[in-house]
Amino acid sequence: MLRNLSSLARLVLLDGLRRHALIGLILLAFGLEAGGLLFMDFIPRNIGRASADFILSVGWLTGFLFLLFHAVQAMAWDEERRTIHTLLARPISRTQYVLGTFLGLAVLLLLLNIILGLLGYGILTMIRDSVKQVYFPHLSLPHYLLSWIGLTCIELMILAVIMLFSGLVRGGFPVLLLTVSYYFICTGLPVVRAAYASRLEESGSALNGLLVGLTILFPDFSRFDFKALVTSSATGTVSHLLATDFLVLALYLTVVLWGAAIVYQRRDLQ
Amino acid sequence: MKRFIHLFLAPFLGFYLFVFFHQDRLYRDTVVQLQPIPSAQFLRATTGYLKQLLAEVFFAQSSVFLGGLKPGTNPESYAPVLAHNYRQITALYPEFQDPYYFAQSYLAHVGPEYARAANEILANGREAYPENLAYPFFQGYNYFRHLEQPLEAAAVFREASYLPEAPPMFAHMVIILTAEGGMLEASILSLMALSKSTDDEAIKKMYQKEIEMFKKALAVQKAANAYQVERMRTPTTLDELVPDYLPALPDFGQAFELTWKPPVVGLKRPMPGK
């Protein structure tokens, strides 16, 4: 089972590298970050904070582009070019196909984030050394790593959902639209919950249950956003909250991939 | 025909350049207006992971606008939008510090309405950075200088004076502003406590001098009260108290000046240049 998964993941990884999915995005991110240095001229005081936000936002944007324009397409190509038939003709189950493909794309994503993370840290160090200490007083490496881990967690959730949507609907474009809608619901839902929080506590209405139920399906990504800590002087993070967040992530990925495997097992492959 | 059609490209390109530069000149002459940004809630819901970057971009946009203002531009022409934008930016990303300093620099002095707006914006900063002394200082200053509400200013300085890094100046500011608000007895008691808490003889001496002055002002307040009881009205000016209720109005030199907001006597620091 593990051998099948790793072989499939390797194929997806090599295919991604052949299509220049990484190098193109890295060049784009590098260009954005170089351009972003000019943007820093307009931030007179909070240079450290703005720089860290910018580096991680570029990382997020690049990862999002990878998910929408490579991961979604990679799933659609398998069916359009009938690669999926070749793969499933081997002794590989449909569940292994889902898991292997997810693994391959996740490794690509991880590689992308590692490269961008290293590049970003270099740029942050360069900015910190070139401005007065008062404008960039802290740069916490553990929090910087935590921020990238958080970012990768969000991307993995989106990737798992892409696997599910790719099984549910045919074609890359509908999956892309569904993924974008999913993302906006995930970012909008916490705001709706916060807006209604005080009113719902009083009434205890069914709407509260509905909003919580929706958050089970559409998780709150902001719980994995640790950007604010990178340049903050605060020491340590709430570890029990982090542990719960990562446990929820692991369970969410399992459930969604399980769902995707069920969908693929029942799917009529044309 | 097919061969010659490309000859038209050069004049067409020339025409395009002419129209382009004309359009460019038209836009250069137009006055750039600061556009209001959507509400923080909407931005939070739609931008997700990019919300911090977006707040910074909006801030940079407002900085560019402020930097490009022509000399003599009436600040009231852009202050409402600027106040709205800073409110949204700080609500979207309270940890980002630059908008607080800009709100204080570009809004507070425009008028009382904008001083209040600056104080609302600074309240976000105080919530995000409870130990930062600059924000309560700005807020207190705005209450005192732009809104003429010394007691509110004193309340802000009092809260700030409890912070671990607060300089003794904050507690002293509370006393001075409380005195301006007319609460002279409270000011005297606070000054006595402050005097006892310091070992610096020079500062102790300064406090003692101020206590004496506050006591003189308190005597004026008592005289005004007596005037009111006997004549069933408040004096129009404090000069009316002399000589029946006071031999003369006290002179505080450069340190303070008496204020009279019937029925309250206060003491305030003279404004430089006035």
Side-chain angles (χ1 to χ4, degrees):
Chain A
M1 159 107 175
L2 280 177
R3 217 174 121 197
N4 286 347
L5 284 184
S6 64
S7 305
L8 193 57
R10 205 171 59 234
L11 273 179
V12 175
L13 181 68
L14 290 174
D15 186 50
L17 292 174
R18 259 200 300 272
R19 289 179 196 281
H20 308 299
L22 281 197
I23 190 76
L25 287 170
I26 289 165
L27 285 175
L28 172 76
F30 187 71
L32 283 172
E33 283 169 10
L37 292 176
L38 296 173
F39 165 74
M40 294 306 145
D41 266 359
F42 299 107
I43 309 289
R45 214 181 160 80
N46 252 182
I47 296 171
R49 182 174 288 280
S51 314
D53 290 340
F54 186 73
I55 295 289
L56 280 146
S57 298
V58 168
W60 162 247
L61 200 67
T62 316
F64 204 52
L65 287 176
F66 172 86
L67 290 167
L68 293 184
F69 297 101
H70 181 75
V72 168
Q73 298 305 323
M75 294 301 291
W77 286 328
D78 270 2
E79 223 167 308
E80 280 165 15
R81 297 175 186 177
R82 308 211 179 274
T83 325
I84 193 166
H85 294 277
T86 318
L87 290 171
L88 294 176
R90 310 258 166 186
I92 289 177
S93 70
R94 292 190 182 195
T95 304
Q96 285 172 348
Y97 168 76
V98 170
L99 294 180
T101 313
F102 175 80
L103 199 63
L105 291 170
V107 171
L108 266 176
L109 201 55
L110 202 63
L111 271 176
L112 179 68
N113 285 347
I114 288 170
I115 295 168
L116 292 185
L118 287 172
L119 190 71
Y121 194 74
I123 291 175
L124 280 182
T125 316
M126 199 183 80
I127 294 174
R128 189 191 54 184
D129 294 344
S130 63
V131 297
K132 280 186 183 170
Q133 207 225 344
V134 67
Y135 302 124
F136 200 152
H138 304 282
L139 176 59
S140 158
L141 181 60
H143 285 137
Y144 181 74
L145 289 174
L146 182 67
S147 302
W148 276 99
I149 292 170
L151 175 60
T152 311
C153 291
I154 301 173
E155 289 168 346
L156 286 178
M157 284 192 268
I158 299 175
L159 179 60
V161 168
I162 288 173
M163 307 298 294
L164 180 68
F165 289 154
S166 300
L168 287 170
V169 292
R170 288 183 204 284
F173 191 62
V175 174
L176 187 142
L177 290 180
L178 283 172
T179 309
V180 171
S181 310
Y182 166 84
Y183 172 70
F184 280 118
I185 296 172
C186 287
T187 54
L189 198 57
V191 181
V192 177
R193 279 187 74 181
Y196 282 95
S198 53
R199 271 181 267 174
L200 291 173
E201 266 173 28
E202 288 163 16
S203 60
S205 67
L207 186 58
N208 189 27
L210 177 72
L211 290 177
V212 174
L214 281 173
T215 314
I216 296 171
L217 295 175
F218 302 96
D220 182 354
F221 289 155
S222 65
R223 288 174 190 167
F224 293 93
D225 183 355
F226 305 111
K227 276 199 292 294
L229 297 171
V230 177
T231 53
S232 143
S233 56
T235 49
T237 41
V238 191
S239 53
H240 72 277
L241 276 180
L242 273 183
T244 318
D245 287 341
F246 288 121
L247 183 64
V248 168
L249 166 83
L251 294 172
Y252 184 81
L253 288 182
T254 312
V255 170
V256 175
L257 288 174
W258 203 318
I262 292 171
V263 169
Y264 265 94
Q265 272 164 10
R266 289 161 185 259
R267 188 165 167 180
D268 170 28
L269 293 171
Q270 289 178 337
Chain B
M1 181 65 188
K2 271 184 188 174
R3 201 176 292 170
F4 294 111
I5 198 155
H6 298 303
L7 292 175
F8 290 104
L9 182 64
F12 185 80
L13 203 62
F15 182 61
Y16 166 69
L17 289 175
F18 171 76
V19 175
F20 171 81
F21 286 117
H22 177 65
Q23 182 210 36
D24 198 50
R25 194 166 47 82
L26 285 178
Y27 274 89
R28 210 178 306 147
D29 293 342
T30 54
V31 180
V32 180
Q33 297 288 338
L34 188 64
Q35 297 301 321
I37 63 175
S39 80
Q41 266 198 332
F42 174 79
L43 293 172
R44 200 175 294 126
T46 50
T47 54
Y49 199 83
L50 300 176
K51 70 171 186 185
Q52 293 94 338
L53 180 68
L54 201 76
E56 286 150 3
V57 168
F58 282 134
F59 169 76
Q61 214 172 42
S62 67
S63 306
V64 171
F65 169 79
L66 290 168
L69 279 174
K70 288 187 176 141
T73 306
N74 181 6
E76 291 202 17
S77 64
Y78 59 80
V81 180
L82 193 65
H84 165 82
N85 288 5
Y86 284 151
R87 269 197 200 103
Q88 305 315 316
I89 292 169
T90 53
L92 184 65
Y93 191 16
E95 292 87 0
F96 181 42
Q97 295 188 41
D98 290 70
Y100 303 120
Y101 290 87
F102 269 58
Q104 180 60 22
S105 309
Y106 289 96
L107 282 176
H109 68 91
V110 177
E113 190 186 334
Y114 303 107
R116 266 188 288 277
N119 276 4
E120 281 173 32
I121 292 161
L122 289 163
N124 288 340
R126 288 184 69 190
E127 210 173 308
Y129 294 98
E131 300 205 347
N132 187 311
L133 293 168
Y135 305 146
F137 182 83
F138 291 157
Q139 262 191 331
Y141 177 78
N142 292 342
Y143 273 125
F144 155 71
R145 180 78 174 88
H146 301 302
L147 295 168
E148 294 182 1
Q149 295 177 330
L151 291 179
E152 277 76 2
V156 172
F157 280 114
R158 185 174 296 114
E159 278 176 39
S161 69
Y162 299 140
L163 293 172
E165 299 288 316
M169 178 197 91
F170 273 47
H172 189 234
M173 288 289 285
V174 175
I175 294 163
I176 300 295
L177 291 164
T178 310
E180 186 174 337
M183 295 169 74
L184 293 164
E185 278 178 275
S187 302
I188 292 168
L189 288 174
S190 306
L191 260 182
M192 284 174 165
L194 212 57
S195 173
K196 277 190 180 164
S197 67
T198 181
D199 296 328
D200 189 321
E201 282 306 316
I203 292 176
K204 232 183 224 306
K205 207 171 159 188
M206 184 191 79
Y207 288 157
Q208 284 305 325
K209 255 174 107 176
E210 283 180 349
I211 289 170
E212 291 311 312
M213 285 191 258
F214 281 21
K215 280 181 177 168
K216 284 181 191 170
L218 190 61
V220 178
Q221 176 70 71
K222 283 178 179 164
N225 293 348
Y227 181 103
Q228 194 179 356
V229 169
E230 282 180 24
R231 306 194 183 186
M232 304 296 283
R233 68 176 182 88
T234 54
T236 318
T237 64
L238 291 175
D239 293 324
E240 289 177 34
L241 300 173
V242 181
D244 296 344
Y245 298 88
L246 280 174
L249 285 176
D251 180 25
F252 299 101
Q254 298 291 312
F256 290 104
E257 59 189 41
L258 275 173
T259 62
W260 174 235
K261 290 176 186 165
V264 177
V265 173
L267 262 185
K268 75 169 194 177
R269 293 273 193 217
M271 284 292 171
K274 282 194 179 178

